[in-house]
Amino acid sequence: MSYSNNSRADLHNGIVQQWTPRPGPSPRSGSHTPADDEDDYAAAHGDGANGYHIVDAEGAPASPPITEDDERWWRDQERNEAIMRGVEEMQITRPRGHKVSFHYNSQVEDMHFGKTHPMKPWRLTLTKHLVLGYGLQYAMDTYQAVAAGKDQVRAFHDSDYVDFLSEVSPQTFEQLCQIERFAKHAPPKHEHDSVDLGPFNLSTSPGADCPVFDGMSTYLFLYTGATLAATHQLTTQNSDIAINWSGGLHHAHKSEASGFCYINDIVLAILDMLRVYARVLYIDIDVHHGDGVEEAFQRQPRVMTLSYHRYGPYDDTGHKFFPGTGDLTDVGLRGTVGEHFALNVPIPSGIDDRQYKYLFESTTSRAIEAFDPSAIVLQ
C-alpha cells in the first residue's frame, strides 16, 4: 500500500495505516464527559457492564479509569505527533526527482535461527523503528510484501531445492531426508564432522550455519517476495529507488544454502532486471564476499559484480575469513565472456572510515564509468 505525502500515515507492522482519531475524550484530561456526548463515549469505552461507569453515584458524568489500552494508545499518539513535529522541523520530504519505495513484511522479524546463532532477524525490527523514528516513511511509498511463489524462485534455484525449502521444518526434516530426490543432495558423512549436514547443506544440529527452524519457509519466501516486488517497481518505472532491508542473502547457491543464506534474492532480482535493462551493476559492501552472486553471473557480461569485503586469515589458526573467496585475482570465469566482469576489493582487518570511503568512492566511480550500468543493485 502507498500513501500520499500530505497524509498522516504510520508504518505499523510493515503496513501503511492512516491515522484514525479515537472517539471519546483524553483519559488524561481529568474533565467530565458532557452529558450530550454520553452515547458516543459509551460506544468508545464500553458501559458499566464492562467495568466502565459513565456516571458517578450522584448521576454526574465521570472520567473513566485509565486502562492499559488507553495508556498504550496515548503513548503511541504522543510518539507519532513527536515524529510529525520532527518531520516538519527537518523538512523531510520525498527526494526531488526520485520515486522511492520501501518493501517489507513484519513477519520476518519473528523468526529465530536459534539461541546461539549469530543471525538475528529481530535486527530488522530495529531498522524499522529507526525508519519510523526519523519519519523516513514520509519520504517513501511503503508496501507490504507478500511471499514469492515457487516458480519465481526456480528462475535461479534448483527445483528439488525449492521444493525442499517450501516443505521443510524441524518436524518434517528427517522425513524429507529419506525421500530419494532430496537424499541424493546430502553430502557424504565423515567421522569427525562437527555438524550432521543433511540435503542442501541444511541441518537441525546445534552449531549449523544454515539451520532448519520453525517458520523458515515463511521467512525465506517473504524476504524473497519483498525483493521481487521492489524489482517490479523498478522495471515498471514506478520507482527509481526500491528498498528491501530484509533481503540481500548473497551466499546462497543454486542448489545449496550457505552462510545463513537460503534463497539468493539478489540473483533473482538481477535476472528479472535483465529482461528490461541492458547492464546491471551489483555492488556488495557486506563484510563477507558476495560469492553466491558472483558465481551465478560468472559467465555473464551484462552483469558486473563489485564486492568490498574482508579477506585473509581469520585467526592464528590460518583459517580464512568466510567464505574465503574474493581475491584480487578473481575476475570472473576465465576463458568465457564473463571474464573481467567480476571486481573484488579484498580488505584486511583494521581499515578505518577515511580509508574505506576513499577506496569505495574511487573504485566504484571508475566501475560505473567503465561499465555504464542501466541499473545498480546495492547490498
Side-chain angles (χ1 to χ4, degrees), residues 283-290 306-310 343-347 356 358-365 367:
I283 303 174
D284 191 323
I285 58 173
D286 188 279
V287 70
H288 303 100
H289 175 230
L306 171 56
S307 179
Y308 298 85
H309 49 270
R310 181 177 169 183
L343 297 178
N344 285 294
V345 185
I347 302 172
Y356 189 96
Y358 172 79
L359 189 62
F360 178 84
E361 290 179 347
S362 58
T363 305
T364 303
S365 61

Side-chain angles (χ1 to χ4, degrees), residues 91-378:
Q91 298 182 339
I92 294 175
T93 59
R94 294 170 182 265
R96 184 173 298 176
H98 295 287
K99 294 176 289 185
V100 183
S101 60
F102 176 40
H103 303 262
Y104 192 69
N105 190 304
S106 64
Q107 290 185 61
V108 296
E109 302 172 22
D110 300 331
M111 304 307 166
H112 197 276
F113 278 57
K115 290 182 179 180
T116 60
H117 200 283
M119 183 67 162
K120 309 292 184 186
W122 57 260
R123 64 187 181 175
L124 299 169
T125 305
L126 306 181
T127 303
K128 182 181 75 176
H129 282 285
L130 282 173
V131 171
L132 297 178
Y134 282 104
L136 297 180
Q137 67 270 32
Y138 296 98
M140 305 182 287
D141 292 323
T142 56
Y143 295 85
Q144 177 172 275
V146 297
K150 291 200 293 184
D151 285 342
Q152 290 177 293
V153 179
R154 289 190 184 105
F156 170 62
H157 288 289
D158 176 80
S159 184
D160 286 347
Y161 181 47
V162 175
D163 288 342
F164 192 87
L165 292 179
S166 69
E167 299 174 28
V168 72
S169 70
Q171 294 74 36
T172 63
F173 181 72
E174 293 299 331
Q175 181 181 357
L176 291 174
C177 288
Q178 305 305 314
I179 298 175
E180 183 178 355
R181 70 186 182 104
F182 297 145
K184 67 182 181 181
H185 295 281
K189 307 292 184 183
H190 298 98
E191 181 180 353
H192 300 293
D193 286 343
S194 58
V195 174
D196 184 18
L197 293 177
F200 311 109
N201 201 32
L202 302 178
S203 177
T204 55
S205 298
D209 275 357
C210 299
V212 174
F213 54 89
D214 286 319
M216 189 175 93
S217 294
T218 299
Y219 168 72
L220 304 183
F221 286 87
L222 271 180
Y223 78 66
T224 303
T227 295
L228 293 178
T231 304
H232 181 74
Q233 285 293 109
L234 296 173
T235 57
T236 56
Q237 299 183 355
N238 287 311
S239 295
D240 301 302
I241 300 169
I243 300 167
N244 170 26
W245 275 302
S246 65
L249 284 299
H250 59 168
H251 294 307
H253 300 284
K254 185 178 182 67
S255 302
E256 183 178 277
S258 176
F260 318 160
C261 303
Y262 302 77
I263 296 176
N264 200 318
D265 58 304
I266 301 170
V267 171
L268 292 170
I270 294 174
L271 287 172
D272 205 18
M273 288 180 175
L274 290 175
R275 297 184 301 103
V276 176
Y277 300 119
R279 291 172 302 282
V280 177
L281 172 62
Y282 170 64
I283 303 174
D284 191 323
I285 58 173
D286 188 279
V287 70
H288 303 100
H289 175 230
D291 58 331
V293 182
E294 180 181 310
E295 178 186 79
F297 296 108
Q298 60 183 342
R299 299 173 181 269
Q300 175 57 268
R302 293 175 58 199
V303 178
M304 175 175 282
T305 59
L306 171 56
S307 179
Y308 298 85
H309 49 270
R310 181 177 169 183
Y311 184 81
Y314 178 68
D315 52 29
D316 294 337
T317 64
H319 290 105
K320 289 185 177 180
F321 190 74
F322 183 86
T325 54
D327 194 0
L328 191 64
T329 58
D330 294 339
V331 294
L333 191 60
R334 297 187 183 277
T336 72
V337 293
E339 186 176 0
H340 302 302
F341 285 90
L343 297 178
N344 285 294
V345 185
I347 302 172
S349 178
I351 191 171
D352 62 29
D353 291 349
R354 181 185 59 82
Q355 293 168 331
Y356 189 96
K357 182 175 183 291
Y358 172 79
L359 189 62
F360 178 84
E361 290 179 347
S362 58
T363 305
T364 303
S365 61
R366 293 185 64 182
I368 292 174
E369 181 182 359
F371 187 58
D372 189 24
S374 311
I376 295 175
V377 177
L378 175 66

